[in-house]
Amino acid sequence: MSVVALVPAAGRGERLGAAAPKALVPVHGEPLLVHAVRGLLAAGSVRHVVVAAPPDHLDAVAALLTPLGAAVHVVAGGPDRTESVRRALEAALSFAPDAHVALVHDAARAFTPASVVRSVVDAVLAGAPAVIPVLPVTDTIKRVDAAGHVVGTPDRSRLRAVQTPQGFTVDLLRRAHAAAEGAATDDAGLVERLGQTVATVPGHPLAMKITTPFDLAVAEAVLAAAGTGQEET
Ligand code: CTP
Ligand code: MG
């Protein structure tokens, strides 16, 4: 059954503060986006990858991805992540109208091991219509009000930090985006609004999102220590 991957990569990377959009920032000699797409292809089952790129960097992104092969397509992203995913999904449906599984994977989670991609795909193929990789939360999390005063402490044992790729049947992802009113920080959030169950599989520390200069330094150090561009686990 055919798997397509949608890669939202159109963000400006404001918290990273680099001169270029975050997807183009190099780590270990290559842009984050190249690491991310290569990682998806390394999982083995992904037929098409559709990247939603910053609209003013389409040519640069296409040139970077050409060496990865004809299965990788580039479209212009939107003003927020949800809209970027929606545009990539629309394009994917034209490249691969028979696709059964859609993965949505942040370019910013550039070092996600292929094993995580495979466990998400396998769980969807095994019958779960929506699957997300998660990690236990190690910090205690507080809920605060607008003034910053603590109003509650959720039970940490029931909290999870959510990563990507998130996997869905194409039909469900399409319905979730069609019904979406306003943006969400992840696609599972849109699926939850439909009342659909979202399953979890174990994530991985390397699937961390590169958000700040500190995250970038951590990724650089991890890759330098590993001596490779992409961990295959
Ligand atoms: N993204 C996107 N289109 C947007 C905004 C974000 O495709 N209009 C993508 C980013 O490129 C990233 C993923 O969504 O791969 C997660 O977003 P985030 O980490 O917040 O990246 P940025 O929005 O680029 O960063 P910042 O919020 O610091 O500006
Ligand atoms: Mg953002």
Side-chain angles (χ1 to χ4, degrees), residues 4-100:
V4 295
L6 318 176
V7 180
R12 316 282 353 148
E14 273 164 27
R15 288 168 288 179
L16 192 58
K22 184 159 71 178
L24 302 181
V25 170
V27 173
H28 210 68
E30 279 188 314
L32 286 172
L33 177 59
V34 172
H35 288 285
V37 173
R38 195 181 296 114
L40 284 165
L41 294 171
S45 60
V46 175
R47 288 272 184 76
H48 292 272
V49 179
V50 182
V51 172
D56 48 345
H57 289 77
L58 287 182
D59 291 345
V61 168
L64 282 174
L65 296 175
T66 299
L68 298 188
V72 184
H73 314 268
V74 180
V75 298
D80 56 48
R81 183 187 182 280
T82 305
E83 185 55 31
S84 291
V85 172
R86 185 176 292 129
R87 291 181 189 187
L89 176 60
E90 217 168 89
L93 293 172
S94 69
F95 295 126
D98 59 336
H100 177 66

Side-chain angles (χ1 to χ4, degrees), residues 80 82 86 175-185 189-191 193-194:
D80 56 48
T82 305
R86 185 176 292 129
R175 283 192 288 119
H177 275 272
E181 282 172 22
T185 53
L190 300 179
V191 165
R193 290 182 202 168
L194 297 183

Side-chain angles (χ1 to χ4, degrees), residues 65-228:
L65 296 175
T66 299
L68 298 188
V72 184
H73 314 268
V74 180
V75 298
D80 56 48
R81 183 187 182 280
T82 305
E83 185 55 31
S84 291
V85 172
R86 185 176 292 129
R87 291 181 189 187
L89 176 60
E90 217 168 89
L93 293 172
S94 69
F95 295 126
D98 59 336
H100 177 66
V101 179
L103 299 176
V104 185
H105 185 45
D106 289 334
R109 297 186 187 273
F111 308 105
T112 303
S115 58
V116 174
V117 181
R118 283 194 284 265
S119 35
V120 171
V121 170
D122 288 350
V124 179
L125 292 178
V131 178
I132 61 175
V134 299
L135 287 178
V137 171
T138 53
D139 290 321
T140 294
I141 308 283
K142 303 281 187 194
R143 200 177 303 112
V144 296
D145 64 16
H149 296 136
V150 172
V151 294
T153 307
D155 173 8
R156 189 173 69 189
S157 70
R158 305 294 287 270
L159 296 177
R160 299 291 181 271
V162 175
Q163 303 181 324
T164 72
Q166 300 189 346
F168 309 93
T169 62
V170 167
D171 177 59
L172 178 58
L173 186 64
R174 208 182 193 164
R175 283 192 288 119
H177 275 272
E181 282 172 22
T185 53
D186 76 343
D187 299 276
L190 300 179
V191 165
E192 290 158 45
R193 290 182 202 168
L194 297 183
Q196 174 73 54
T197 301
V198 177
T200 63
V201 295
H204 193 288
L206 279 174
M208 64 183 276
K209 185 154 73 76
I210 308 291
T211 305
T212 64
F214 177 79
D215 300 332
L216 203 59
V218 170
E220 247 346 322
V222 169
L223 291 195
T228 74

